[in-house]
CSV table of all heavy atoms in Angstrom, one decimal:
chain,number,residue,atom,x,y,z
A,5,GLY,N,72.4,50.9,102.1
A,5,GLY,CA,73.8,51.1,102.0
A,5,GLY,C,74.2,52.5,102.1
A,5,GLY,O,73.4,53.4,102.0
A,6,LEU,N,75.4,52.8,102.4
A,6,LEU,CA,76.0,54.1,102.5
A,6,LEU,C,76.3,54.7,101.2
A,6,LEU,O,77.1,54.1,100.4
A,6,LEU,CB,77.2,54.0,103.4
A,6,LEU,CG,77.8,55.3,103.9
A,6,LEU,CD1,76.9,56.0,104.8
A,6,LEU,CD2,79.1,55.0,104.6
A,7,SER,N,75.7,55.8,100.8
A,7,SER,CA,76.0,56.4,99.5
A,7,SER,C,76.9,57.6,99.5
A,7,SER,O,77.4,58.1,98.5
A,7,SER,CB,74.7,56.8,98.8
A,7,SER,OG,74.0,57.7,99.6
A,8,ILE,N,77.1,58.2,100.7
A,8,ILE,CA,78.0,59.3,100.9
A,8,ILE,C,78.9,59.2,102.1
A,8,ILE,O,78.5,58.5,103.1
A,8,ILE,CB,77.3,60.7,100.9
A,8,ILE,CG1,76.3,60.7,102.1
A,8,ILE,CG2,76.5,60.9,99.7
A,8,ILE,CD1,75.7,62.1,102.4
A,9,LEU,N,80.0,59.9,102.1
A,9,LEU,CA,80.8,60.0,103.3
A,9,LEU,C,80.8,61.5,103.7
A,9,LEU,O,81.0,62.3,102.8
A,9,LEU,CB,82.3,59.6,103.1
A,9,LEU,CG,82.5,58.1,102.8
A,9,LEU,CD1,84.0,57.9,102.5
A,9,LEU,CD2,82.1,57.3,104.1
A,10,ASN,N,80.7,61.8,105.0
A,10,ASN,CA,80.8,63.2,105.4
A,10,ASN,C,82.2,63.3,106.1
A,10,ASN,O,82.5,62.5,107.0
A,10,ASN,CB,79.7,63.5,106.4
A,10,ASN,CG,78.4,63.5,105.8
A,10,ASN,OD1,78.2,64.1,104.8
A,10,ASN,ND2,77.4,62.8,106.4
A,11,ARG,N,82.9,64.4,105.8
A,11,ARG,CA,84.2,64.6,106.4
A,11,ARG,C,84.3,66.1,106.7
A,11,ARG,O,83.6,66.9,106.1
A,11,ARG,CB,85.4,64.2,105.5
A,11,ARG,CG,85.4,62.7,105.3
A,11,ARG,CD,85.7,61.9,106.6
A,11,ARG,NE,85.9,60.5,106.4
A,11,ARG,CZ,85.0,59.6,106.6
A,11,ARG,NH1,83.8,60.0,107.1
A,11,ARG,NH2,85.3,58.3,106.5
A,12,GLU,N,85.2,66.4,107.6
A,12,GLU,CA,85.5,67.9,107.9
A,12,GLU,C,87.0,68.1,107.6
A,12,GLU,O,87.9,67.4,108.0
A,12,GLU,CB,85.3,68.1,109.4
A,12,GLU,CG,85.5,69.6,109.7
A,12,GLU,CD,85.1,69.9,111.2
A,12,GLU,OE1,84.1,69.4,111.6
A,12,GLU,OE2,85.9,70.6,111.8
A,13,CYS,N,87.2,69.2,106.8
A,13,CYS,CA,88.6,69.6,106.5
A,13,CYS,C,89.3,70.0,107.7
A,13,CYS,O,88.8,70.8,108.5
A,13,CYS,CB,88.5,70.7,105.5
A,13,CYS,SG,90.1,71.2,104.8
A,14,THR,N,90.5,69.4,108.0
A,14,THR,CA,91.3,69.7,109.2
A,14,THR,C,92.4,70.7,109.0
A,14,THR,O,93.0,71.1,110.0
A,14,THR,CB,91.9,68.4,109.8
A,14,THR,OG1,92.7,67.8,108.8
A,14,THR,CG2,90.8,67.4,110.2
A,15,ARG,N,92.6,71.1,107.7
A,15,ARG,CA,93.6,72.2,107.4
A,15,ARG,C,93.3,72.7,106.1
A,15,ARG,O,92.7,72.1,105.2
A,15,ARG,CB,95.0,71.6,107.5
A,15,ARG,CG,95.3,70.5,106.5
A,15,ARG,CD,96.8,70.0,106.7
A,15,ARG,NE,97.0,68.8,106.0
A,15,ARG,CZ,97.4,68.7,104.7
A,15,ARG,NH1,97.6,69.7,104.0
A,15,ARG,NH2,97.5,67.5,104.1
A,16,ASP,N,93.6,74.0,105.8
A,16,ASP,CA,93.4,74.6,104.5
A,16,ASP,C,94.0,73.7,103.4
A,16,ASP,O,95.1,73.2,103.6
A,16,ASP,CB,94.0,76.0,104.5
A,16,ASP,CG,93.2,77.0,105.3
A,16,ASP,OD1,92.2,76.6,105.9
A,16,ASP,OD2,93.6,78.1,105.3
A,17,TYR,N,93.2,73.5,102.4
A,17,TYR,CA,93.7,72.7,101.3
A,17,TYR,C,93.4,73.3,99.9
A,17,TYR,O,92.3,73.7,99.6
A,17,TYR,CB,92.9,71.3,101.3
A,17,TYR,CG,93.3,70.4,100.2
A,17,TYR,CD1,94.5,69.7,100.2
A,17,TYR,CD2,92.4,70.3,99.1
A,17,TYR,CE1,94.8,68.8,99.1
A,17,TYR,CE2,92.7,69.4,98.0
A,17,TYR,CZ,93.9,68.7,98.0
A,17,TYR,OH,94.2,67.9,97.0
A,18,LYS,N,94.5,73.5,99.1
A,18,LYS,CA,94.3,74.1,97.8
A,18,LYS,C,94.1,73.0,96.8
A,18,LYS,O,94.8,72.0,96.7
A,18,LYS,CB,95.6,74.8,97.4
A,18,LYS,CG,95.4,75.5,96.0
A,18,LYS,CD,96.7,76.2,95.6
A,18,LYS,CE,96.5,76.9,94.3
A,18,LYS,NZ,96.0,76.1,93.2
A,19,VAL,N,92.9,73.1,96.1
A,19,VAL,CA,92.6,72.0,95.1
A,19,VAL,C,93.5,72.1,94.0
A,19,VAL,O,93.7,73.2,93.4
A,19,VAL,CB,91.1,72.2,94.7
A,19,VAL,CG1,90.7,71.2,93.6
A,19,VAL,CG2,90.1,72.2,95.9
A,20,PRO,N,94.2,71.0,93.6
A,20,PRO,CA,95.2,71.1,92.5
A,20,PRO,C,94.6,71.6,91.2
A,20,PRO,O,93.4,71.4,90.9
A,20,PRO,CB,95.6,69.6,92.3
A,20,PRO,CG,95.3,69.0,93.7
A,20,PRO,CD,94.1,69.7,94.2
A,21,GLU,N,95.4,72.3,90.5
A,21,GLU,CA,95.0,72.9,89.2
A,21,GLU,C,93.8,73.8,89.3
A,21,GLU,O,92.9,73.8,88.4
A,21,GLU,CB,94.8,71.8,88.2
A,21,GLU,CG,96.0,70.9,87.9
A,21,GLU,CD,95.8,69.8,87.0
A,21,GLU,OE1,94.9,69.9,86.1
A,21,GLU,OE2,96.5,68.8,87.1
A,22,SER,N,93.7,74.5,90.4
A,22,SER,CA,92.5,75.4,90.6
A,22,SER,C,92.9,76.5,91.6
A,22,SER,O,93.9,76.4,92.3
A,22,SER,CB,91.4,74.5,91.2
A,22,SER,OG,90.6,75.2,92.1
A,23,ASP,N,92.1,77.5,91.7
A,23,ASP,CA,92.3,78.6,92.6
A,23,ASP,C,91.5,78.4,93.9
A,23,ASP,O,91.4,79.2,94.8
A,23,ASP,CB,92.0,80.0,92.0
A,23,ASP,CG,92.9,80.4,90.9
A,23,ASP,OD1,94.1,80.0,91.0
A,23,ASP,OD2,92.5,81.1,90.0
A,24,VAL,N,90.8,77.2,94.0
A,24,VAL,CA,89.9,76.9,95.1
A,24,VAL,C,90.7,76.5,96.3
A,24,VAL,O,91.6,75.6,96.2
A,24,VAL,CB,88.9,75.9,94.7
A,24,VAL,CG1,88.0,75.5,95.9
A,24,VAL,CG2,88.0,76.4,93.5
A,25,ILE,N,90.3,77.1,97.5
A,25,ILE,CA,90.9,76.6,98.7
A,25,ILE,C,89.8,76.2,99.6
A,25,ILE,O,88.8,76.9,99.9
A,25,ILE,CB,91.7,77.8,99.4
A,25,ILE,CG1,92.9,78.1,98.5
A,25,ILE,CG2,92.2,77.3,100.8
A,25,ILE,CD1,93.8,79.3,99.0
A,26,ILE,N,89.9,75.0,100.1
A,26,ILE,CA,88.9,74.5,101.1
A,26,ILE,C,89.4,74.8,102.5
A,26,ILE,O,90.5,74.4,102.8
A,26,ILE,CB,88.7,72.9,100.9
A,26,ILE,CG1,88.2,72.6,99.5
A,26,ILE,CG2,87.7,72.4,102.0
A,26,ILE,CD1,88.2,71.1,99.2
A,27,GLN,N,88.7,75.6,103.2
A,27,GLN,CA,89.2,76.1,104.5
A,27,GLN,C,88.9,75.1,105.6
A,27,GLN,O,88.0,74.3,105.6
A,27,GLN,CB,88.5,77.4,104.8
A,27,GLN,CG,88.8,78.5,103.8
A,27,GLN,CD,88.1,79.8,104.1
A,27,GLN,OE1,87.2,79.9,104.9
A,27,GLN,NE2,88.7,80.9,103.6
A,28,THR,N,89.8,75.2,106.6
A,28,THR,CA,89.7,74.3,107.8
A,28,THR,C,88.3,74.5,108.4
A,28,THR,O,87.8,75.6,108.4
A,28,THR,CB,90.7,74.8,108.9
A,28,THR,OG1,92.0,74.7,108.3
A,28,THR,CG2,90.6,74.0,110.1
A,29,GLY,N,87.7,73.4,108.7
A,29,GLY,CA,86.3,73.4,109.3
A,29,GLY,C,85.2,73.2,108.3
A,29,GLY,O,84.1,72.9,108.7
A,30,THR,N,85.5,73.3,107.0
A,30,THR,CA,84.5,73.1,106.0
A,30,THR,C,84.0,71.6,105.9
A,30,THR,O,84.9,70.7,106.0
A,30,THR,CB,85.1,73.5,104.6
A,30,THR,OG1,85.5,74.8,104.6
A,30,THR,CG2,84.1,73.2,103.5
A,31,GLN,N,82.7,71.4,105.9
A,31,GLN,CA,82.2,70.1,105.8
A,31,GLN,C,82.3,69.6,104.3
A,31,GLN,O,81.9,70.4,103.4
A,31,GLN,CB,80.7,70.1,106.2
A,31,GLN,CG,80.5,70.5,107.7
A,31,GLN,CD,81.2,69.4,108.6
A,31,GLN,OE1,80.9,68.2,108.5
A,31,GLN,NE2,82.0,69.9,109.6
A,32,ILE,N,82.7,68.4,104.1
A,32,ILE,CA,82.9,67.9,102.8
A,32,ILE,C,82.0,66.6,102.7
A,32,ILE,O,82.0,65.8,103.6
A,32,ILE,CB,84.4,67.4,102.6
A,32,ILE,CG1,85.4,68.6,102.9
A,32,ILE,CG2,84.6,66.8,101.2
A,32,ILE,CD1,85.2,69.7,102.0
A,33,ILE,N,81.3,66.5,101.5
A,33,ILE,CA,80.5,65.4,101.2
A,33,ILE,C,81.1,64.6,100.0
A,33,ILE,O,81.4,65.2,99.0
A,33,ILE,CB,79.1,65.8,100.9
A,33,ILE,CG1,78.4,66.4,102.1
A,33,ILE,CG2,78.3,64.5,100.4
A,33,ILE,CD1,77.1,67.0,101.8
A,34,ILE,N,81.4,63.4,100.2
A,34,ILE,CA,82.1,62.5,99.2
A,34,ILE,C,81.1,61.5,98.7
A,34,ILE,O,80.5,60.7,99.4
A,34,ILE,CB,83.3,61.8,99.7
A,34,ILE,CG1,84.3,62.8,100.3
A,34,ILE,CG2,84.0,60.9,98.7
A,34,ILE,CD1,85.4,62.2,101.2
A,35,SER,N,80.8,61.5,97.4
A,35,SER,CA,79.8,60.6,96.8
A,35,SER,C,80.5,59.3,96.5
A,35,SER,O,81.4,59.2,95.6
A,35,SER,CB,79.3,61.2,95.5
A,35,SER,OG,78.6,60.2,94.8
A,36,LEU,N,80.1,58.2,97.2
A,36,LEU,CA,80.6,56.9,96.9
A,36,LEU,C,80.1,56.4,95.6
A,36,LEU,O,80.8,55.7,94.9
A,36,LEU,CB,80.3,56.0,98.1
A,36,LEU,CG,80.9,56.3,99.4
A,36,LEU,CD1,80.5,55.3,100.5
A,36,LEU,CD2,82.4,56.4,99.3
A,37,LEU,N,78.9,56.7,95.3
A,37,LEU,CA,78.3,56.3,94.0
A,37,LEU,C,79.1,56.9,92.9
A,37,LEU,O,79.4,56.2,91.9
A,37,LEU,CB,76.8,56.6,93.9
A,37,LEU,CG,76.1,56.2,92.6
A,37,LEU,CD1,76.2,54.7,92.4
A,37,LEU,CD2,74.7,56.7,92.6
A,38,GLY,N,79.4,58.2,93.0
A,38,GLY,CA,80.2,58.9,92.0
A,38,GLY,C,81.6,58.2,91.8
A,38,GLY,O,82.0,58.1,90.6
A,39,ILE,N,82.2,57.8,92.8
A,39,ILE,CA,83.5,57.2,92.7
A,39,ILE,C,83.4,55.8,92.1
A,39,ILE,O,84.1,55.4,91.2
A,39,ILE,CB,84.2,57.1,94.1
A,39,ILE,CG1,84.6,58.5,94.5
A,39,ILE,CG2,85.5,56.2,94.0
A,39,ILE,CD1,85.1,58.6,96.0
A,40,GLY,N,82.4,55.0,92.6
A,40,GLY,CA,82.1,53.7,92.2
A,40,GLY,C,81.7,53.5,90.8
A,40,GLY,O,81.9,52.5,90.1
A,41,MET,N,81.1,54.6,90.2
A,41,MET,CA,80.7,54.5,88.8
A,41,MET,C,81.7,55.3,87.9
A,41,MET,O,81.4,55.4,86.7
A,41,MET,CB,79.3,55.2,88.7
A,41,MET,CG,78.2,54.3,89.4
A,41,MET,SD,78.1,52.6,88.8
A,41,MET,CE,77.4,52.9,87.2
A,42,ASP,N,82.8,55.7,88.4
A,42,ASP,CA,83.8,56.4,87.6
A,42,ASP,C,84.8,55.4,86.9
A,42,ASP,O,85.5,54.7,87.6
A,42,ASP,CB,84.6,57.4,88.4
A,42,ASP,CG,85.5,58.3,87.7
A,42,ASP,OD1,85.9,58.0,86.6
A,42,ASP,OD2,85.7,59.4,88.2
A,43,GLU,N,84.8,55.4,85.6
A,43,GLU,CA,85.7,54.4,84.8
A,43,GLU,C,87.1,54.7,85.1
A,43,GLU,O,88.0,53.8,84.8
A,43,GLU,CB,85.3,54.5,83.4
A,43,GLU,CG,84.0,53.8,83.0
A,43,GLU,CD,83.8,53.5,81.6
A,43,GLU,OE1,84.8,53.5,80.8
A,43,GLU,OE2,82.6,53.3,81.2
A,44,LYS,N,87.5,55.9,85.6
A,44,LYS,CA,88.9,56.2,85.9
A,44,LYS,C,89.3,55.2,87.0
A,44,LYS,O,90.5,54.8,87.1
A,44,LYS,CB,88.9,57.6,86.4
A,44,LYS,CG,90.3,58.0,87.0
A,44,LYS,CD,90.2,59.4,87.5
A,44,LYS,CE,91.5,59.8,88.2
A,44,LYS,NZ,91.4,61.2,88.7
A,45,TYR,N,88.4,54.8,87.9
A,45,TYR,CA,88.8,53.9,89.0
A,45,TYR,C,88.3,52.5,88.8
A,45,TYR,O,89.0,51.6,89.3
A,45,TYR,CB,88.2,54.5,90.3
A,45,TYR,CG,88.6,55.9,90.7
A,45,TYR,CD1,87.7,56.9,90.6
A,45,TYR,CD2,89.9,56.2,91.0
A,45,TYR,CE1,88.1,58.2,90.9
A,45,TYR,CE2,90.3,57.5,91.3
A,45,TYR,CZ,89.4,58.5,91.2
A,45,TYR,OH,89.8,59.7,91.5
A,46,PHE,N,87.2,52.3,88.2
A,46,PHE,CA,86.6,50.9,88.0
A,46,PHE,C,86.2,50.8,86.6
A,46,PHE,O,85.2,51.3,86.2
A,46,PHE,CB,85.4,50.7,88.9
A,46,PHE,CG,85.8,50.9,90.4
A,46,PHE,CD1,85.5,52.0,91.1
A,46,PHE,CD2,86.4,49.8,91.1
A,46,PHE,CE1,85.8,52.1,92.4
A,46,PHE,CE2,86.7,49.9,92.4
A,46,PHE,CZ,86.4,51.1,93.1
A,47,PRO,N,87.0,50.0,85.8
A,47,PRO,CA,86.6,49.8,84.4
A,47,PRO,C,85.3,49.1,84.3
A,47,PRO,O,84.9,48.2,85.1
A,47,PRO,CB,87.7,48.9,83.8
A,47,PRO,CG,88.9,49.1,84.8
A,47,PRO,CD,88.3,49.4,86.1
A,48,GLU,N,84.4,49.6,83.3
A,48,GLU,CA,83.1,49.0,83.1
A,48,GLU,C,82.3,49.0,84.4
A,48,GLU,O,81.8,47.9,84.9
A,48,GLU,CB,83.2,47.6,82.5
A,48,GLU,CG,83.9,47.6,81.2
A,48,GLU,CD,83.9,46.2,80.6
A,48,GLU,OE1,84.8,45.5,81.0
A,48,GLU,OE2,83.1,45.9,79.7
A,49,PRO,N,82.1,50.1,85.1
A,49,PRO,CA,81.5,50.1,86.4
A,49,PRO,C,80.0,49.6,86.4
A,49,PRO,O,79.5,49.2,87.5
A,49,PRO,CB,81.5,51.6,86.8
A,49,PRO,CG,81.6,52.3,85.5
A,49,PRO,CD,82.4,51.4,84.6
A,50,GLU,N,79.4,49.7,85.3
A,50,GLU,CA,77.9,49.2,85.2
A,50,GLU,C,77.8,47.7,85.2
A,50,GLU,O,76.7,47.2,85.4
A,50,GLU,CB,77.2,49.9,84.1
A,50,GLU,CG,77.6,49.4,82.7
A,50,GLU,CD,79.0,49.9,82.2
A,50,GLU,OE1,79.6,50.8,82.8
A,50,GLU,OE2,79.5,49.3,81.2
A,51,LEU,N,78.9,47.0,85.0
A,51,LEU,CA,78.8,45.5,85.0
A,51,LEU,C,79.2,44.9,86.4
A,51,LEU,O,80.1,45.4,87.0
A,51,LEU,CB,79.8,45.0,83.9
A,51,LEU,CG,79.5,45.4,82.5
A,51,LEU,CD1,80.6,44.8,81.6
A,51,LEU,CD2,78.2,44.9,82.1
A,52,TYR,N,78.5,43.9,86.7
A,52,TYR,CA,78.8,43.2,88.0
A,52,TYR,C,79.9,42.2,87.6
A,52,TYR,O,79.7,41.3,86.8
A,52,TYR,CB,77.6,42.5,88.6
A,52,TYR,CG,78.0,41.6,89.7
A,52,TYR,CD1,78.4,42.2,90.9
A,52,TYR,CD2,77.9,40.2,89.7
A,52,TYR,CE1,78.8,41.4,92.0
A,52,TYR,CE2,78.3,39.5,90.8
A,52,TYR,CZ,78.7,40.1,91.9
A,52,TYR,OH,79.1,39.3,93.0
A,53,ARG,N,81.1,42.4,88.2
A,53,ARG,CA,82.2,41.4,88.0
A,53,ARG,C,82.7,41.0,89.3
A,53,ARG,O,83.5,41.7,89.9
A,53,ARG,CB,83.3,42.2,87.1
A,53,ARG,CG,82.7,42.5,85.7
A,53,ARG,CD,83.8,43.1,84.8
A,53,ARG,NE,85.1,43.0,85.2
A,53,ARG,CZ,86.0,43.9,85.0
A,53,ARG,NH1,85.7,45.0,84.3
A,53,ARG,NH2,87.3,43.7,85.4
A,54,PRO,N,82.3,39.8,89.8
A,54,PRO,CA,82.8,39.3,91.1
A,54,PRO,C,84.3,39.3,91.3
A,54,PRO,O,84.8,39.6,92.4
A,54,PRO,CB,82.2,37.9,91.2
A,54,PRO,CG,81.1,37.9,90.2
A,54,PRO,CD,81.5,38.8,89.1
A,55,GLU,N,85.0,39.1,90.2
A,55,GLU,CA,86.5,39.1,90.4
A,55,GLU,C,87.1,40.4,90.8
A,55,GLU,O,88.2,40.5,91.3
A,55,GLU,CB,87.2,38.6,89.1
A,55,GLU,CG,87.0,39.6,87.9
A,55,GLU,CD,85.7,39.4,87.1
A,55,GLU,OE1,84.8,38.6,87.5
A,55,GLU,OE2,85.6,40.0,86.0
A,56,ARG,N,86.3,41.5,90.6
A,56,ARG,CA,86.7,42.8,91.1
A,56,ARG,C,87.0,42.8,92.6
A,56,ARG,O,87.8,43.6,93.0
A,56,ARG,CB,85.5,43.7,90.8
A,56,ARG,CG,85.9,45.1,90.4
A,56,ARG,CD,84.7,45.9,90.2
A,56,ARG,NE,84.0,45.6,89.0
A,56,ARG,CZ,83.8,46.5,88.0
A,56,ARG,NH1,84.1,47.7,88.2
A,56,ARG,NH2,83.2,46.1,86.9
A,57,PHE,N,86.4,41.9,93.3
A,57,PHE,CA,86.5,41.9,94.8
A,57,PHE,C,87.5,40.9,95.3
A,57,PHE,O,87.6,40.8,96.5
A,57,PHE,CB,85.1,41.7,95.4
A,57,PHE,CG,84.1,42.7,94.9
A,57,PHE,CD1,83.2,42.4,93.9
A,57,PHE,CD2,84.1,44.0,95.4
A,57,PHE,CE1,82.3,43.3,93.5
A,57,PHE,CE2,83.2,45.0,95.0
A,57,PHE,CZ,82.3,44.6,94.0
A,58,ASP,N,88.1,40.1,94.4
A,58,ASP,CA,89.0,39.1,94.8
A,58,ASP,C,90.4,39.8,95.0
A,58,ASP,O,90.9,40.5,94.2
A,58,ASP,CB,89.2,38.1,93.6
A,58,ASP,CG,90.0,36.9,94.0
A,58,ASP,OD1,90.9,37.0,94.9
A,58,ASP,OD2,89.9,35.9,93.3
A,59,GLU,N,90.9,39.6,96.2
A,59,GLU,CA,92.2,40.2,96.6
A,59,GLU,C,93.3,39.9,95.6
A,59,GLU,O,94.2,40.7,95.4
A,59,GLU,CB,92.6,39.7,98.0
A,59,GLU,CG,91.8,40.2,99.1
A,59,GLU,CD,92.1,41.7,99.4
A,59,GLU,OE1,93.1,42.2,99.1
A,59,GLU,OE2,91.1,42.3,100.0
A,60,ARG,N,93.3,38.7,95.0
A,60,ARG,CA,94.4,38.3,94.1
A,60,ARG,C,94.3,39.0,92.7
A,60,ARG,O,95.3,39.1,92.0
A,60,ARG,CB,94.4,36.8,93.9
A,60,ARG,CG,94.7,36.1,95.2
A,60,ARG,CD,94.3,34.6,95.1
A,60,ARG,NE,92.8,34.6,94.9
A,60,ARG,CZ,92.2,33.5,94.6
A,60,ARG,NH1,92.8,32.3,94.4
A,60,ARG,NH2,90.9,33.5,94.5
A,61,SER,N,93.1,39.5,92.3
A,61,SER,CA,93.0,40.0,91.0
A,61,SER,C,92.5,41.4,90.9
A,61,SER,O,92.1,41.9,89.9
A,61,SER,CB,92.1,39.1,90.1
A,61,SER,OG,90.8,39.2,90.7
A,62,ARG,N,92.6,42.2,92.0
A,62,ARG,CA,92.2,43.6,92.0
A,62,ARG,C,93.0,44.3,90.9
A,62,ARG,O,94.2,44.3,90.9
A,62,ARG,CB,92.4,44.2,93.3
A,62,ARG,CG,91.3,43.8,94.3
A,62,ARG,CD,91.3,44.7,95.4
A,62,ARG,NE,90.2,44.3,96.4
A,62,ARG,CZ,90.2,44.6,97.6
A,62,ARG,NH1,91.1,45.4,98.1
A,62,ARG,NH2,89.2,44.2,98.4
A,63,ALA,N,92.2,45.0,90.1
A,63,ALA,CA,92.9,45.8,89.0
A,63,ALA,C,92.3,47.2,89.1
A,63,ALA,O,91.9,47.8,88.0
A,63,ALA,CB,92.6,45.2,87.7
A,64,HIS,N,92.3,47.8,90.2
A,64,HIS,CA,91.8,49.2,90.4
A,64,HIS,C,92.5,50.0,91.4
A,64,HIS,O,93.3,49.4,92.1
A,64,HIS,CB,90.3,49.2,90.7
A,64,HIS,CG,89.9,48.5,92.0
A,64,HIS,ND1,89.6,47.2,92.1
A,64,HIS,CD2,89.9,49.0,93.3
A,64,HIS,CE1,89.4,46.8,93.3
A,64,HIS,NE2,89.6,47.9,94.1
A,65,ASP,N,92.3,51.2,91.5
A,65,ASP,CA,93.0,52.1,92.4
A,65,ASP,C,92.5,51.7,93.9
A,65,ASP,O,91.3,51.9,94.2
A,65,ASP,CB,92.7,53.5,92.1
A,65,ASP,CG,93.4,54.5,93.0
A,65,ASP,OD1,93.8,54.2,94.1
A,65,ASP,OD2,93.5,55.7,92.6
A,66,PRO,N,93.4,51.2,94.7
A,66,PRO,CA,92.9,50.8,96.1
A,66,PRO,C,92.4,52.0,96.9
A,66,PRO,O,91.6,51.8,97.8
A,66,PRO,CB,94.2,50.2,96.7
A,66,PRO,CG,95.3,50.7,95.9
A,66,PRO,CD,94.8,51.0,94.5
A,67,ASP,N,92.8,53.2,96.6
A,67,ASP,CA,92.3,54.4,97.3
A,67,ASP,C,90.9,54.7,97.0
A,67,ASP,O,90.2,55.4,97.7
A,67,ASP,CB,93.1,55.6,97.0
A,67,ASP,CG,94.5,55.5,97.6
A,67,ASP,OD1,94.7,54.8,98.6
A,67,ASP,OD2,95.5,56.1,97.1
A,68,ALA,N,90.3,54.1,95.9
A,68,ALA,CA,89.0,54.4,95.5
A,68,ALA,C,88.1,53.2,95.9
A,68,ALA,O,86.8,53.3,95.7
A,68,ALA,CB,88.9,54.5,93.9
A,69,PHE,N,88.6,52.2,96.6
A,69,PHE,CA,87.8,51.0,97.0
A,69,PHE,C,87.3,51.3,98.4
A,69,PHE,O,88.1,51.4,99.3
A,69,PHE,CB,88.6,49.8,96.9
A,69,PHE,CG,87.8,48.5,97.1
A,69,PHE,CD1,87.0,48.1,96.2
A,69,PHE,CD2,88.0,47.8,98.3
A,69,PHE,CE1,86.2,46.9,96.4
A,69,PHE,CE2,87.2,46.7,98.6
A,69,PHE,CZ,86.4,46.2,97.6
A,70,PHE,N,86.0,51.4,98.6
A,70,PHE,CA,85.5,51.6,99.9
A,70,PHE,C,84.8,50.3,100.4
A,70,PHE,O,83.8,50.1,100.8
A,70,PHE,CB,84.5,52.7,99.9
A,70,PHE,CG,85.1,54.0,99.7
A,70,PHE,CD1,85.3,54.6,98.5
A,70,PHE,CD2,85.7,54.7,100.8
A,70,PHE,CE1,85.9,55.8,98.3
A,70,PHE,CE2,86.3,56.0,100.6
A,70,PHE,CZ,86.4,56.5,99.4
């Protein structure tokens, strides 16, 4: 399976609540495991819950679902 996503920043981006600026052209690595195991996005991430994948009962942030 795919555990990371690679992206390239297409415009300068100031990270909210920080002085960090990601410059255009910077390579970004996004951890899918890190997002998938974050309780902020998926309650009880260590448990297998098939209903989590049912379109009718999704109860998580759709932007965090890959």
Side-chain angles (χ1 to χ4, degrees):
L6 189 64
S7 60
I8 61 170
L9 290 177
N10 294 312
R11 296 293 185 260
E12 182 176 316
C13 185
T14 59
R15 61 184 165 89
D16 287 357
Y17 176 77
K18 183 180 182 309
V19 178
E21 300 178 26
S22 143
D23 292 331
V24 174
I25 296 176
I26 302 172
Q27 296 181 342
T28 301
T30 301
Q31 296 296 310
I32 307 296
I33 297 173
I34 303 166
S35 168
L36 296 179
L37 180 61
I39 293 171
M41 294 301 288
D42 190 331
E43 288 194 17
K44 173 181 173 183
Y45 302 113
F46 299 99
E48 300 179 280
E50 68 286 349
L51 297 178
Y52 175 66
R53 294 184 15 213
E55 66 274 10
R56 213 182 284 239
F57 305 101
D58 185 339
E59 290 287 336
R60 297 166 293 171
S61 64
R62 282 198 180 158
H64 61 268
D65 184 339
D67 293 333
F69 187 76
F70 290 93

